[in-house]
Amino acid sequence: MSAREFHSLYYTDCSPGQGLRGGAGFQFQAVSPGTTDEMMSVVQRSALYEAPVGWMREQRPVEEYPPSLVHVHNGVYATARGIYLGAETGGVREGNQFTHALVATDSQLYGPIRPAQLWGAPWWVEQPAPSTECPAVSAEPEAGPFGVEALREWVRGQKDGESWLLAVHSAIDRVHDEGAPRVVFVSDDADAVVRWIAAATLLLPQERALKVGFRVFATNPQFSAQEVLALHPDWAGSLADPERHTEFAVFNLVTGKYREAEHSDSARHWVSRFLNTDPYDVVDAIELSHQFARGRSTDRPGTADRLAAGVLALDEAVTGAEPALALAEWLAEPPAVSAAEMLDPVLTAVLDSEPGTPVLAKLADTDLEQSGQVRIALLRAEIDEILRGTPADTRAPLKARAWSPDEAEQAAVLVESAAGAVLPERMDLLLRTATRFDVRPRLGNFTEAAGRFADWWAHHPNAGVDPERWPCGPELVDLLRDVLARRLEGPRADEVSKDIKEHWWRLLARTATDPFSPLDRAIAAAAVAAGGSVRKETIAVFREQMRAPERPGTGEAVFDALFGDSAPTLVELSDFLAEVPSTSVSDALAQRAFGVLVKSKVSGRYLDVLRGLSHHIGDRQDLRKLWEDDSRLRVWLANYRRKGAEVGNPGDISEDVLAARAGKIVEALLDTDPQVSAEMAITSGEPLQQTLIRELPAVWNDEDVATERQDRAVMLAFVAAWSDEATGTVRAAFDRELEAWMHAHKQTDYRRVSKLLRSVEADHAAAWHEWLRETAQRKPKEARTRQVARRLFGRRER
């Protein structure tokens, strides 16, 4: 048998030797080659003619029994027609029948035909074959009189035909939904029932239609597996009343009644089209919508699938915002089976409907050939909204897509034209829209409008616009600067200066570079006064101007621009002056620096700055004294590092200078030989020893300092404190610090310091151990001090 043929099966009451079993009785009389047991089982179980028992008891004439048409899908597809024959072969009992069944494993054999359309087909057989083998039936068999157009005309001719088809198709469309009722027709007219089934299943895709089982007629619906049944009024009983049963959707063709129910989406979409347009095109559209649904792995088309199929198969126009949006979403995520030749016509239909921005926004992210023009249309629509003053919603970002040269020009012209007409307060929205679309408008093509906007912007510092989001932001910022610069020279300069300090500097800080420009000076001063990273960045930019000054007075101009509203720190002042050779520092700039120094605490950096300005000190005695003391101390430190103890103590140096250079002093002491540094610590005098009191504990308490260096700091503190040269104040201060050190350390630490003291002088180490012992015993401090001092130095205390 060919793979493109239906298996054919005959079933009836056979005489001996007539059927497949060989014996007499009901059995398959003949089958086509290749028919399987499974096929025969499905037909025998679900597709045979059912004779009504009551009628057989009444022995009604054979011609009163209606023929049957049955379809079932149960592993295989089976469609069967049966007729009643009357008495059995033996001629004793009623109940003989003949059933001719078609069976297929491939649904494609039906072609576009729905099983109900096979009613009345000319090739149905009504009598046994001469042998137990019968011919197969070709694929896509000839249908009966219920063709597509004939069914459409029949429904249109029925009373309330459209309403009935809406209801019947909705019920059959849902039969496989969970909890859905089966469908029952009550009628004595098999033709009418089959027509309704055929018309309703034509509005299903073929794949689903073939899975809808039906039986016309059934004698007992409880024992019929099919989803759709037809009952003769004589057998219907209570099922004749559509309102009495919820497990069945009953359509009584005799009374013209059925229970109203919500129409399915499919019915609402297709029924009217089927009845009022080309029905063949509608059937094709239904199949196409099903293909779209399968492309998304579902068997139920959605609204957009149906709309797209309508555009393609019915040449339907898209009308209304809702269908346009549904199709836009469909195009944005098209089903897998959709090729470009299907998508482009749908896109054209949507664009022809002149959709609004929501639809165009969806379409803009498609990758179709026309997507560039879609973006042009969306850009035009959004620009129209901006010009009309429509409140701006937050727009979703667009997928990156390169414009063609023609598209880029077209888009730029749209934005440039709109810029010439837009209100200044909506220019920001227009330019942000241009950025979103990656459009590059040319400022030269809307110069006048740009000037109007810059003037408006300058008068509205709190407008909240952000030029970083504009494609021509730098150019418009330049225009803004021009407006502000002019206003700074006008009668409302104070107001503009206030706006710069409170607002504009944030936007313009990176544009300010000219210390001689009133606008840049105001911007820089406000930025520096704000502090943080912008202060550092602004200072760095302006300091660049001092490295190669082109005009006299650059140093003073830069200083005033940066520090007009806030004084520099010592670090900033030092870095600032480092950009200018000391011989090039003008007296005016030096005086500005002195103004900072007199308000600052003396420190090493302070003294470094003062040293660079020494030629400008003049008659400032306080500064001169600091400079001279620092100079002597620097000379002493340099000599000490070279000659050690031979240089003597630094002499009468002010405490401010000693404190400022304390780190350098301690560094020098710790770097030299312990004997030399110990001698210096003893003989240096109280001012320097007071400095050591502050600095040495900082060394030994610093975890980042090497242990050897910490030990040297402890050694110097000890020998300085317990010498006859030390005053009571110095001793008391060192005593407190050393006791704190002792309680925080262990014997191993004590021994290292002892070893260091012994390298200086043995008596120092002995005194150290005595001090440790007596301190641990907590003797009165005064007694302890005198005892240790006498043992260590062998002299009376002064």
Side-chain angles (χ1 to χ4, degrees), residues 238-246 250 257-260:
S238 64
L239 282 174
D241 184 355
E243 301 297 335
R244 292 188 61 180
H245 295 273
T246 58
V250 178
K257 294 182 179 179
Y258 59 88
R259 185 170 58 245
E260 296 285 348

Side-chain angles (χ1 to χ4, degrees), residues 472-534:
C472 49
E475 296 96 320
L476 285 169
V477 169
D478 286 344
L479 290 179
L480 172 67
R481 283 178 51 87
D482 293 342
V483 175
L484 292 174
R486 289 196 301 270
R487 294 186 67 206
L488 269 177
E489 297 175 357
R492 307 188 72 173
D494 291 344
E495 178 184 332
V496 179
S497 295
K498 182 174 179 292
D499 287 342
I500 291 172
K501 290 181 179 180
E502 293 180 357
H503 175 80
W504 291 122
W505 71 265
R506 293 179 177 85
L507 172 65
L508 302 176
R510 294 183 180 179
T511 69
T513 58
D514 184 0
F516 294 94
S517 161
L519 176 62
D520 283 3
R521 286 202 304 271
I523 294 168
V528 170
S533 60
V534 70

Side-chain angles (χ1 to χ4, degrees), residues 509-763:
R510 294 183 180 179
T511 69
T513 58
D514 184 0
F516 294 94
S517 161
L519 176 62
D520 283 3
R521 286 202 304 271
I523 294 168
V528 170
S533 60
V534 70
R535 179 184 180 105
K536 294 180 181 179
E537 292 167 4
T538 304
I539 291 174
V541 168
F542 273 72
R543 278 170 48 199
E544 291 287 335
Q545 306 298 319
M546 298 172 57
R547 294 180 179 175
E550 298 177 358
R551 287 180 283 182
T554 297
E556 296 90 320
V558 172
F559 188 96
D560 292 344
L562 292 175
F563 307 116
D565 291 339
S566 62
T569 64
L570 273 176
V571 173
E572 291 168 344
L573 179 62
S574 175
D575 292 343
F576 181 91
L577 293 174
E579 300 294 341
V580 186
S582 59
T583 55
S584 300
V585 176
S586 67
D587 190 62
L589 183 57
Q591 297 311 314
R592 287 169 170 78
F594 290 147
V596 176
L597 290 179
V598 296
K599 297 177 182 178
S600 304
K601 181 180 179 181
V602 177
S603 65
R605 190 177 293 271
Y606 180 111
L607 296 174
D608 291 339
V609 171
L610 182 61
R611 184 160 55 93
L613 300 173
S614 59
H615 297 296
H616 303 276
I617 292 177
D619 58 357
R620 292 176 175 269
Q621 295 304 317
D622 53 342
L623 294 179
R624 181 168 295 281
K625 178 65 168 64
L626 288 173
W627 171 67
E628 291 174 348
D629 284 356
D630 184 49
S631 297
R632 289 200 305 275
L633 181 59
R634 290 170 61 83
V635 170
W636 180 82
L637 282 171
N639 291 332
Y640 178 76
R641 286 183 179 278
R642 288 195 304 270
K643 302 177 183 179
E646 299 177 14
V647 300
N649 64 55
D652 184 17
I653 305 295
S654 67
E655 291 185 9
D656 285 342
V657 173
L658 288 174
R661 299 297 189 190
K664 297 291 185 182
I665 296 170
V666 169
E667 181 181 344
L669 290 176
L670 296 178
D671 285 344
T672 55
D673 180 87
Q675 288 185 332
V676 173
S677 60
E679 179 64 22
M680 181 57 65
I682 293 170
T683 62
S684 60
E686 184 170 3
L688 184 55
Q689 289 176 339
Q690 288 289 354
T691 298
L692 296 180
I693 289 171
R694 291 189 298 271
E695 295 299 319
L696 291 176
V699 174
W700 70 60
N701 289 323
D702 188 346
E703 295 180 356
D704 293 331
V705 173
T707 301
E708 179 184 0
R709 208 165 181 84
Q710 292 178 357
D711 294 344
R712 285 197 175 200
V714 174
M715 178 271 291
L716 289 176
F718 184 78
V719 298
W722 307 118
S723 70
D724 285 346
E725 305 295 331
T727 66
T729 302
V730 169
R731 291 172 181 168
F734 270 125
D735 188 34
R736 287 192 300 271
E737 297 296 340
L738 288 168
E739 280 195 40
W741 178 90
M742 182 196 77
H743 292 305
H745 289 74
K746 301 178 180 179
Q747 288 293 332
T748 53
D749 304 314
Y750 304 160
R751 287 194 290 272
R752 287 198 312 274
V753 174
S754 174
K755 183 177 180 181
L756 194 57
L757 286 166
R758 188 175 297 107
S759 70
V760 175
E761 188 174 327
D763 287 346

